[in-house]
Structure formats: C-alpha cells, structure tokens
Amino acid sequence: MPVDRIHWDDLPLAARAAVEHHTGPVLHAATADAGANSGIAAIITTADETLFVKGVPTDHPQIRTQQREAAINPYLPPPCPRLLWHVNVAGWDLIGYEHLVARHADYAPGSPDLPLVARALLELQSTRCPDIGLKRAEDRWSGYAGPAGVEQLAGDTLLHTDLAPHNVLMTDIAHLIDWAWPTRGAAWIDPAVLILRLMEAGHTAEDADAWARGEFPSWAAAEHDAVAAFSEANAHTWDEIARHDPQDWKKHMGRLAHDWVTYWRTQAP
C-alpha cells in the first residue's frame, strides 16, 4: 500500500525537532523522487553533514517494513548505508541514513554495473544471518507454492529479496539499500530474484541464467526442483501484487515471472 509523499516542511514541528536533536538545525531539505513506500524521503543538509531521512506515519501498514529495515541494518555488510538514528514522535516513524552521492544501478545487457552488483550480492551471501526473528523463505512463500512445495527454500543465508535497480546505488561499488524484506533462506534465492530484474532490463531468460551461473556458485549449484518451486511461488506472488495494485510495471513483472517459469521447465534437471 503506497504512502502519500510529503515534504520535510510538512512534517509536524515536533517530528522535525526530534530529527534536529540528532542532526542539528536543518539548513536545506530536498524531497527524493524515487520510491513509493515512504511518506517522506528527503536529503537534508546541516552545517556538518548531509543525510537521507525517510519515514512513514505510525498508523500506516508500511511501518512494519521500515521497522524491519531499522532492525537489520546493524548486521549488513559495510557497503550498505549505515542507520544513524531512529525516532518515533508526533505520529511519525523516522530513520536517518548516511547519504551516498550515487545513482541507481543499470541492469541492461553489457552494463559495467553488473559485475559490481554481483560482487555486492556475493558479499551479502558471505555475511552471517543474524538471529533476530527474520521471516524464513519457506514460510514467506508457502502461501504461493504449487505442488512442488517450498521446503527446499530453507537455508541460513541473509537475503535481500527486492533487487530492483532502484534498490542498488552505484558509486565505485554497489550498495544494497531499502531492506524492507530481509529473509532467511537458501543462498540462490537472491540470484533468482535478480534474474527477473535482468529480464526486465532486456536480458533473455537464457542469458540472465547463464550470467548468474557464472557469477554465483549458489545459483550454479541450486537444485532444479528447488528453483522450480520458488519460481512458481514467485510468479504467483507477482500475480497477487498486480491484482491488488495493477500498475503496468507490476503486471509486466508478473508476465516475466511466468516467462521464467516456462524457460526453467525446458532446462534439464
């Protein structure tokens, strides 16, 4: 459920004061264009630093995803922007992050960003998954599973699971952001999620699969039936997303998810 976006000056005075308790007086604030899941997303400048502030009203369902972001941040690999503070006041839940001067990743075929994205994902796969009550993959996708079931999705890898290009910021390395859906599961699930986004950017299913096999040992070693089970569940997930909010890009992702299922069925186990 999207949140109506407001500007920094529209926040209640008490909320702004709570932020400035951590930052000092805000001299300038610019509303960010990207993202639809925050009621405020602003780059703020003080006398000493520039920060990224995001937040949602405390009575909005989206607060659960923001609280997950705050909870997982201390356990993320170093390239992920650090959470600096978290305040809940005047009907708003607000978090402040390090600000990166960066751009969104380019997933197009041949993009020089792709090896850097792969490196960031490999670093994540080698990061210890914290014991903080994360959703388990086999539970998260159980309601969407077909006959193959989802027990094969279980694992102990920390997963991002929402690797859209706007959730990856590029400097000289790739930085994974927007941790609304951290999950514990099999390591190959994030490459499977990334493959759909590569297809969205113009890769064929075959080319995206081949690229992932060359970059991620977890994907190259994934059991055919396990990938089939996830792919079917993920396609059903996108179907539901598009039904509830039929934006063109969501319907397109649903079609790509089914195209991937069709492709995977042709691959020898």
Side-chain angles (χ1 to χ4, degrees):
M1 180 179 179
V3 191
D4 291 334
R5 179 67 55 84
I6 67 170
H7 302 293
W8 169 257
D9 290 339
D10 299 324
L11 279 174
L13 182 60
R16 283 180 278 153
V19 169
E20 290 183 327
H21 174 75
H22 293 277
T23 67
V26 172
L27 305 179
H28 181 263
T31 299
D33 295 328
N37 295 324
S38 296
I40 184 166
I43 300 166
I44 66 169
T45 303
T46 71
D48 299 318
E49 59 186 343
T50 299
L51 316 174
F52 178 66
V53 178
K54 64 189 296 188
V56 292
T58 54
D59 61 354
H60 194 282
Q62 205 68 39
I63 192 172
R64 294 192 298 271
T65 61
Q66 178 154 294
Q67 289 171 341
R68 284 195 290 265
E69 281 194 66
I72 196 63
N73 187 267
Y75 306 97
L76 300 180
C80 299
R82 293 299 97 187
L83 177 70
L84 303 175
W85 42 260
H86 184 190
V87 298
N88 189 310
V89 65
W92 279 84
D93 191 83
L94 301 164
I95 51 181
Y97 284 104
E98 292 177 311
H99 175 247
L100 297 177
V101 179
R103 57 176 174 80
H104 294 138
D106 177 7
Y107 285 176
S111 169
D113 291 353
L114 294 178
L116 301 180
V117 173
R119 190 177 306 163
L121 202 50
L122 286 168
E123 183 174 12
L124 175 62
Q125 292 184 338
S126 66
T127 299
R128 179 181 173 275
C129 188
D131 186 15
I132 58 169
L134 296 176
K135 194 82 166 180
R136 294 183 176 273
E138 63 271 28
D139 297 329
R140 179 174 163 187
W141 279 282
S142 62
Y144 305 97
V150 290
E151 64 278 356
Q152 298 167 95
L153 310 189
D156 288 316
T157 298
L158 174 59
L159 306 172
H160 184 285
T161 76
D162 188 13
L163 295 164
H166 60 261
N167 288 340
V168 183
L169 294 180
M170 303 301 304
T171 57
D172 56 337
I173 61 174
H175 308 260
L176 305 180
I177 65 168
D178 282 357
W179 283 82
W181 296 100
T183 302
R184 180 190 298 270
W188 53 263
I189 291 176
D190 265 345
V193 169
L194 180 58
I195 278 173
L196 280 192
R197 293 298 184 170
L198 296 180
M199 292 170 64
E200 181 188 29
H203 299 251
T204 66
E206 182 177 11
D207 287 346
D209 180 22
W211 179 82
R213 287 178 185 278
E215 296 287 349
F216 305 110
S218 61
W219 181 251
E223 294 288 339
H224 186 274
D225 289 348
V227 173
F230 173 76
S231 299
E232 186 170 351
N234 199 35
H236 293 159
T237 302
W238 277 109
D239 288 342
E240 182 179 271
I241 290 170
R243 280 196 305 271
H244 285 285
D245 187 14
Q247 297 182 59
D248 287 344
W249 75 268
K250 294 180 178 180
K251 292 187 285 186
H252 181 54
M253 288 300 297
R255 289 191 294 270
L256 291 175
H258 284 282
D259 289 346
W260 168 258
V261 169
T262 300
Y263 162 79
W264 191 252
R265 286 173 179 159
T266 69
Q267 303 308 297

